[in-house]
Amino acid sequence: MHRYKKAFAEEISKILKCDMDQLNSMIKVPESDRGDLSIPCFPFAKEMKQSPAKIAADTALAISKNPIFEKVTAEGPYINATISSCHIIENIINEIRAAGDKFATSQKGAGKSVVLDFSSPNIAKPLGFHHLRSTMIGNSLALIHEAMGYDVTRINFLGDWGKTFGLLAEVFNRKGDKTRLENEGISYLLELYIEANKLKESDPDFDDAARLMFKKQEDGDESAMELWQLIRDISLNEFKLIYKRLNVDFDFYEGESFYRNGMDEIIEEIDKSAGTRIDQGALVVDMPYSDGEPPMMLKKSDGATLYATRDIAAAKDRWNRFHFEKALYVVGSEQKRHFTQLKQALGAMGNSWEDKIHHVTFGRIHGMSTRKGNVVFLNEVLDEAVSRVFEKMSEDSSRTSIDIEKVSKEVGIGGIVFGDLKNLRISDYNFDWNEVLNTKGFTGIGVQYAHARCCSILNKGGGAPQIGNVDFSLLTAPEEIALVKDIARIPGAVEEAEKELEPSKLARALYEVAKTWNRYQQTGNSDKSLRIIAEDINLKDARLALVDAVRISLKKGLELLGVTAPDAM
Ligand code: ARG
């Protein structure tokens, strides 16, 4: 739009003596039935000794000769101009193609830092399907902020410290098998975990022993720490395999244990600033609480520190290191109170930056079961998605030239991820295999498929023409204009997603492009004059340039959601 505004101002300045800056500030975007650009003429009346309406009429007539404008009219004292759609089309398509994989990126966040705390599972248990949400919403928000020029730091705040690991170590020391631990990894840890919880119920001594064990860990006892380290390593290795499948990366795995040695210091600091008090034997933050609200606990009566204590220490540390513009914690809504209290406590300690902390909550996933049964591990869901796609693709013999194994991974996992991100973040959603893996509709596969079609048509047509060599006045079909308008909306959707911390905005915009693209294709199937690979070479080039722009925008959009777009499927 900027370019047209400039052209409009230039035309006007030729006739009405006025400087460009002033004109630029006077030109507005009117309601759409009055064109694309509008300027009032009263300010010129005095000097020109003419009525504003007369000035508008004369000027409009003169400007209407410029082919950039489809229509320039005077409406009372206003000049209204409509930009020719051919020029808009040309501009948008050329801009997208020139940007390539930089499309929809900007420097709006340059120089500002964003810290994202996401995924952050507890160790010693396999990742469950529900971990998908924090992991992929966080990943997409990281990618979107990066695309807008922010300096992004990804932190995985593992739940790797606390009494649970005392329980686990105690049960391992009593009946554990090191060989099994090394061979079976996290599934054996889960077995031990279940066993520990049973013992906690049945053996009254066990709980005390576990507490002692955690105390040993907190005191840095060598053998206790060695076992803890082994449990952590096994868990983290397993997590990393899944993150790799999902194409998710972290700058730091700084879990709760990272702050274990700073507990006395942070408690002292809280005590000196906000204040602390004893509540039913526990040490809590002294700040206003509402009626019946459990206070924020820093230390239990046995002296053990807690999740909240470590989160306060972590927030301070992150502020000192990154001076963030935003610190985003992508964590389920069940921790709402925790984060409200975290912010309140930081505020009570005198940290004015607490308002830069945002708890990015999300709803639950319902209705999930896999072929294997009810305990739903993330890895198994991904396996099943990939194998379902693989089976489907293998049935189709026309796919011989495709690397089905690779593509079914991209499509299966992409389908699950998109199926998650397309929902409004705070809503619960229902998982349905048929919906996730449907090639039609608001699905990842649907969008991936639209992208692959673009690639195959470009291939068939001998590739896209060079930028600048295209006659865009040939693109006149309503389907073509609609498609251009849809792809032009993607950068705005990325910005909205960033502002509202809502990747679904982008998912929705991509779906609109895919939908319009499908309509264009279908019309082309029945109406020969709309075939993309037209006989007329200029027409073919104009259409292939459009297809190329659609391809680029779908690929980039999916990439910002953390979904790979295969070229063929
Ligand atoms: N480990 C926690 C859990 O699984 C989530 C941690 C979220 N991040 C944080 N800084 N509190 O519930």
Side-chain angles (χ1 to χ4, degrees):
M1 203 43 104
H2 187 71
R3 190 180 126 186
Y4 301 107
K5 195 170 168 184
K6 193 164 158 239
F8 189 49
E10 273 167 7
E11 285 288 342
I12 294 170
S13 75
K14 279 190 219 156
I15 301 161
L16 309 175
K17 306 281 168 276
C18 185
D19 80 69
M20 286 288 282
D21 282 345
Q22 200 186 340
L23 283 173
N24 258 323
S25 68
M26 287 162 64
I27 296 171
K28 298 271 157 352
V29 178
E31 275 160 32
S32 66
D33 58 342
R34 291 176 48 213
D36 299 314
L37 297 166
S38 177
I39 188 170
C41 291
F42 333 96
F44 311 109
K46 203 167 163 197
E47 192 167 319
M48 294 183 70
K49 298 200 179 74
Q50 280 179 353
S51 76
K54 169 98 170 79
I55 299 173
D58 293 349
T59 314
L61 188 68
I63 300 177
S64 63
K65 307 211 166 70
N66 185 331
I68 252 194
F69 303 109
E70 196 169 282
K71 198 169 90 184
V72 186
T73 54
E75 202 178 311
Y78 289 91
I79 308 172
N80 297 333
T82 305
I83 302 157
S84 108
S85 53
C86 161
H87 268 93
I88 295 194
I89 288 176
E90 170 166 6
N91 210 21
I92 290 170
I93 295 178
N94 281 347
E95 247 169 42
I96 295 178
R97 296 187 63 210
D101 67 1
K102 293 261 173 340
F103 171 61
T105 64
S106 71
Q107 284 305 313
K108 293 212 163 79
K112 292 179 200 156
S113 134
V114 174
V115 176
L116 263 143
D117 176 320
F118 65 106
S119 199
S120 306
N122 297 332
I123 62 165
K125 266 195 268 182
L127 289 185
F129 182 48
H130 64 279
H131 283 110
L132 179 78
R133 298 226 74 193
S134 170
T135 307
M136 297 321 291
I137 293 171
N139 182 57
S140 176
L141 289 177
L143 293 165
I144 287 169
H145 280 85
E146 246 163 19
M148 294 186 61
Y150 287 94
D151 210 337
V152 175
T153 305
R154 296 157 165 87
I155 300 181
N156 194 323
F157 189 67
L158 295 170
D160 61 358
W161 201 246
K163 202 186 121 197
T164 305
F165 307 105
L167 282 170
L168 214 53
E170 183 60 26
V171 79
F172 183 82
N173 283 342
R174 289 189 186 192
K175 24 169 101 174
D177 176 339
K178 194 144 186 188
T179 326
R180 278 194 71 194
L181 181 59
E182 278 161 358
N183 291 340
E184 294 166 42
I186 205 152
S187 54
Y188 182 57
L189 283 175
L190 181 64
E191 215 176 289
L192 289 175
Y193 190 86
I194 294 168
E195 182 66 31
N197 279 312
K198 270 192 212 146
L199 277 176
K200 206 168 111 182
E201 299 300 317
S202 61
D203 178 352
D205 296 338
F206 181 73
D207 205 41
D208 285 338
R211 186 167 309 138
L212 258 174
M213 182 56 86
F214 179 50
K215 180 91 178 65
K216 272 188 170 173
Q217 293 169 346
E218 285 211 296
D219 294 344
D221 174 275
E222 213 171 295
S223 89
M225 283 309 283
E226 203 179 301
L227 180 56
W228 170 83
Q229 189 67 49
L230 182 62
I231 294 173
R232 189 181 190 274
D233 290 348
I234 288 173
S235 307
L236 194 49
N237 285 340
E238 191 98 4
F239 295 164
K240 282 184 179 170
L241 291 176
I242 301 182
Y243 293 142
K244 192 159 178 222
R245 295 186 81 179
L246 293 167
N247 213 357
V248 169
D249 250 321
F250 294 91
D251 298 297
F252 301 104
Y253 287 91
E254 287 174 354
E256 293 185 48
S257 67
F258 190 72
Y259 296 97
R260 65 178 185 264
N261 295 325
M263 293 292 91
D264 289 341
E265 211 177 303
I266 196 76
I267 289 175
E268 199 183 306
E269 194 184 327
I270 299 168
D271 187 49
K272 279 198 186 130
S273 48
T276 60
R277 60 179 162 83
I278 302 289
D279 186 302
Q280 297 180 23
L283 186 74
V284 307
V285 184
D286 194 12
M287 58 183 181
Y289 296 98
S290 52
D291 254 1
E293 179 186 351
M296 190 178 206
M297 282 218 273
L298 299 170
K299 235 180 194 182
K300 288 198 285 192
S301 50
D302 64 7
T305 58
L306 290 149
Y307 180 52
T309 333
R310 293 185 278 276
D311 240 347
I312 295 176
K316 283 223 63 161
D317 176 48
R318 291 172 190 177
W319 171 256
N320 290 338
R321 280 155 70 194
F322 304 109
H323 278 83
F324 45 75
E325 181 69 22
K326 307 185 212 176
L328 307 178
Y329 291 75
V330 189
V331 186
S333 40
E334 65 285 351
Q335 292 197 25
K336 200 162 175 211
R337 174 178 294 132
H338 171 73
F339 285 102
T340 310
Q341 291 191 333
L342 175 64
K343 284 168 60 105
Q344 272 167 355
L346 288 165
M349 291 166 69
N351 301 300
S352 59
W353 46 266
E354 62 82 18
D355 63 347
K356 298 183 191 295
I357 289 182
H358 305 272
H359 178 200
V360 183
T361 62
F362 49 81
R364 291 167 181 274
I365 312 173
H366 299 290
M368 172 42 138
S369 63
T370 65
R371 286 169 182 170
K372 278 194 169 168
N374 273 328
V375 190
V376 191
F377 297 130
L378 181 50
N379 229 352
E380 285 175 9
V381 178
L382 300 181
D383 285 345
E384 183 160 341
V386 173
S387 73
R388 282 183 189 241
V389 175
F390 186 84
E391 281 166 29
K392 233 182 179 169
M393 291 186 83
S394 316
E395 284 164 13
D396 184 346
S397 55
S398 69
R399 290 203 163 91
T400 46
S401 61
I402 295 174
D403 181 349
I404 295 188
E405 201 168 303
K406 176 168 172 278
V407 171
S408 48
K409 280 183 197 157
E410 294 169 343
V411 171
I413 293 174
I416 299 280
V417 172
F418 190 97
D420 189 274
L421 294 179
K422 74 171 194 174
N423 303 286
L424 268 186
R425 175 164 60 71
I426 51 151
S427 322
D428 289 7
Y429 75 89
N430 236 330
F431 184 89
D432 176 356
W433 279 112
N434 293 324
E435 195 189 307
V436 172
L437 300 177
N438 192 343
T439 51
K440 299 194 185 77
F442 188 9
T443 64
I445 301 186
V447 179
Q448 284 173 318
Y449 194 68
H451 169 266
R453 282 292 295 160
C454 291
C455 296
S456 87
I457 289 173
L458 283 164
N459 251 336
K460 234 192 256 161
Q466 268 195 342
I467 299 176
N469 248 343
V470 180
D471 179 2
F472 286 101
S473 69
L474 300 170
L475 297 182
T476 52
E479 290 83 355
E480 287 164 340
I481 295 167
L483 200 45
V484 173
K485 288 194 172 154
D486 280 349
I487 51 179
R489 287 202 183 97
I490 304 274
V494 172
E495 282 179 25
E496 259 181 77
E498 178 260 345
K499 216 185 290 157
E500 295 173 32
L501 306 172
E502 188 62 84
S504 67
K505 296 274 173 190
L506 176 57
R508 167 68 62 181
L510 291 176
Y511 169 55
E512 294 300 331
V513 174
K515 212 163 59 173
T516 310
W517 163 252
N518 290 341
R519 193 154 22 103
Y520 182 36
Q521 297 249 292
Q522 269 156 21
T523 334
N525 286 340
S526 50
D527 176 355
K528 221 175 155 198
S529 73
L530 273 181
R531 295 263 158 93
I532 292 169
I533 306 181
E535 264 160 41
D536 179 282
I537 189 145
N538 292 325
L539 182 57
K540 182 186 91 170
D541 276 355
R543 287 183 176 162
L544 287 179
L546 168 61
V547 176
D548 195 38
V550 175
R551 172 190 71 80
I552 290 168
S553 54
L554 290 177
K555 185 165 189 105
K556 187 66 192 189
L558 286 173
E559 180 194 307
L560 295 182
L561 293 176
V563 174
T564 311
D567 290 348
M569 59 190 267

